[in-house]
Amino acid sequence: MIQAMVWKEYREHRAIWLTLAVVSAAGLLGVQKLMAPGGVMASTGTRESLQAVAALLAWTYGLVCGSMLLANERETATLDFLDMLPVRRLQLWTVKCIFGLVLFLAQVAVLTVVVVGLDIASTPLEMTVTVLAMLLFGLLGMAWGLLFSARGENVLNVIGLAIVGQIAGIAVVAMVLSLLAIGMELALHVAFHGPASSFPWIAVSCLGGIVVTVGPIAGSARLFSRVDRQRGLRVKAPVRRQRPKRIAWASWGRLIWLSYLQMRRMVLVLVIFSLGLGFLLPAAGPVAWPILTLIIGVLCGVTVFGDEQMHGSFRFLGDQRFPLGRVWLVKASMRFALAVFAAFLLLLPSLILVIFHRMQAPSFEQQRVPFFGEVLHSVLVGTVVPAWAHLGMWLIYGFTAAHLCGLLFRKSMVAGVVSLGAAATLVSVWVPSLLGIGLHFWQIAGVPLILLATAWLLMPAWAGDRLVARGTFERVGVGLAGVVLWTVGGLWYRVAEIPDVPDGFDLAEFRASIPPPEKNDAGMTIREAWTFAETLTRALGGARARRPLFPDLHPEDTSLLAQIGDVRQRGWPEGPSDLSDWLDQHFEQKDMTECLCLLCQAADYPVGVVEFNKDMTFDQRLDRWRKAFAFNQLLAVRALQLQSRGDPAAFVEYLRMGLAVSRNLQHFAPIEIAHFGRAAEDVWPPALDHWLRRLDGPADEVGEQLKRVQAVLREHEEKLPDESEIRKMARLIASNSLDQIPEKMLEFGVEHRAKEDSQLHRAELEAASLMWRMPWERERHHRILRVSFEGDNRQRRQAREWGGPMLGGFGPREDRIPRGNRYFARWHASQLMVALRRYQAKTGKLPATLDALVPVYLPAIPTDPFDQKPFRYRLSQGEKIGWFEEAEAAGAVPGGMQQAGGAAPPAQAGMPGLFNPPPPPPTRFVPAGEGILWSVGEDLHDDGGVQLGKLPSLTNFGEDIIYLVPPPRG
């Protein structure tokens, strides 16, 4: 029997074997003549190319041989005869495989002789590698030929399927094992803290070779010997109690098997389609995923009952009273599972690349990019677009619409075209909401469920060939009405979900109240002067001195910027310095003189707007005003320099100019510019402190100068813009960013996440901005903005969920808008200091109480903004008060005012403990006759002004905010 089988295989294969042997030898010879015309190998690359050709020829014969071994029996109709012989199919498969292996080895031997004769492998090592390559590739081709030959009926068809299946199978195995290798490499790196090892890749490569070779061979044996297992089945006597269960499980199994048989070719097509296009997905950009998954869903949905429609077997289902619900559930579920699997394969190459890239370069910036946004090559997915919706929405809509159309239309081509248009229409309605932030799952899931329910209700009429009936039109009509109502209701809920909180002011009226350029004298003048101011601050940035100003502070830092900070801390020093020369050089230039004249004019005008654009948006650059603090520092230092030269009156003018710049920066300004203006204010309280310490001269002149300073401080407080303007301006900017140029706002929040600013990303952002202009999305976004600004605390927290990082965070930060009680306490204390010094210049001493200042020196005693009571004051009797220098440096004393009195004693060394008690709190001695002002602070408890608060923004029990009145010089 075995001899007969061997003889039969020999007669069938000898012609093919001989033909391919001749073709292989001639092919190698021809390629060699083409690549090495003289017969001499010109380079190693030529030899390697010919060796690769030899391996390819071995693979070709292995593929042809494996395909012929089994499929040829069906093609020649001899398999039924073989089944009647007293031999099992597994034995038959074994004999055929052994004979095929012998033929393959003989073919490899012929190729080896040709390789040696043509001197393709010059060394034993090259020869060994070439022979091994021919064996491995040939076995690979033979294995996949055997797999498809086990069920094939035509050799040529089997060869084609084996080629395609081999490519797809190797690709899938390579991707899966690559993930395994990456995981192993990461695990070894974490476990041993060593460099990357090549062992995981070597191990996985060997495993992959075994899987793609042994796997198809084992699958071929199992498929071909299926008849053996069926022959061995024994029918047992049925047990009546278990009969319903066995029949039920058997019917489910038959349905699954039937569905598999109908879709197996489509599985192969979709696997190739998905894997092939998956490698092109990165180049296609964010649009590729919706289009491809929609097509996959349509293909799978149309073919759920495609075979029944084409062959008319749907009537058999109805005539035989099959459980239509069960049939529908199994076939629809398996096709949908196939669609999901195909979509996963489409995503798999990008998924592997992103995981590998993140493992190789796990930087902070990389982690900021949303994972699925990088996988889908989109700048919106994960930030604006929810990843789960973008991944599944297109596939689900395509499948459900195509499934319904596949029942209604007998011809699959017509059903496919109609369903593709219907699915695209239905899903496009939700695209604005998908890009508009805050889409819920139930909103997009309702339509597919209605379509599925409609298809299920049509099953009896479809199986009975009664679709052209009144009931069908009623069911389809109800389903379409449900789709329309669900869609309209979902879009309505998009708007109604957000509370309609009204604005706290008239936005149009506020926009109209912003002064235009022709009525904005102060703002226009400051803008004109700011060109010179920027030039001056820019020159300061790189200027350096030859010697330090205060050697004990910064002995090695000779930058003029640091020296200006030292002057702000200690006042202007005696004697010449490089800083003094630099100030003289720049402030006496014509441009700076013109700048100071312009600022003097701006101080006389009503408060204006430095950024007067009513259509200001988030993308506009405001960095030029960041120099306001540095420029005011220069003004203050210059004023103190002129005072040291006998011109204390210059300080008043410089103070007036600096405060004018500050309040104009806070008028109708965004939060950023307003903070620049407040930073500019912080310069003047410590400067005023140094000026008061050094102020001397005739009492009348001193009193007049102090009176002018009082007027400047009072004018500044009276003209300070209302804090509500900052909130209103933030609201106006948010509205402008949403209504007029939403693409700019999208770039502001999203484009920095993109790896590159490509044309596809740009088009994606422009499409998103267009979708935001849809009426329902526009109204929803306006409501989110109003809630962010005017809602209560709970609504504002919800606004962050409704609007995400794009809209939910546009509301103003409440901790940044109010100036705070410490701000006003600082300026009230400054006014009291100047008034007290006026009284002292007039009478020669400070008053015992603040009541003595009213009404000659002050119209009323300024209040403590914390408890709205008059400011506290007392004359020192020669006392020590708790004084934390580090708290003062950190800003616990607003404005960083320099205080009179001795320095705090150093803290005791050592750690506190049982034998080393904690050091006493630092103190400052205030000589008798000096004034002490204090505010109760955040704890609202008057502790007598004997302990300065340790924290820069909070006072506890026993602490107050303390200001010491600078005594006159001498």
Side-chain angles (χ1 to χ4, degrees), residues 380 384 435 437 737 741-752 764-770 772 806:
L380 297 178
V384 174
L435 299 173
I437 307 174
S737 301
I741 46 172
E743 65 273 11
K744 294 295 184 182
M745 186 179 64
L746 284 171
E747 291 177 4
F748 176 81
V750 174
E751 195 173 54
H752 68 277
E764 185 183 10
L765 292 172
E766 291 176 354
S769 67
L770 180 63
W772 279 39
M806 295 299 303

Side-chain angles (χ1 to χ4, degrees), residues 693-736:
R693 289 179 184 276
R694 200 159 189 165
L695 184 62
D696 57 5
D700 294 340
E701 294 181 7
V702 170
E704 184 62 27
Q705 292 169 6
L706 291 170
K707 184 177 181 181
R708 291 177 58 199
V709 170
Q710 269 189 290
V712 171
L713 296 178
R714 190 180 304 113
E715 178 189 21
H716 178 66
E717 186 173 5
E718 292 173 354
K719 291 184 177 181
L720 272 178
D722 190 355
E723 292 177 350
S724 63
E725 289 182 1
I726 300 177
R727 176 189 293 274
K728 293 177 181 178
M729 196 65 192
R731 176 70 178 90
L732 177 63
I733 292 173
S735 179
N736 291 341

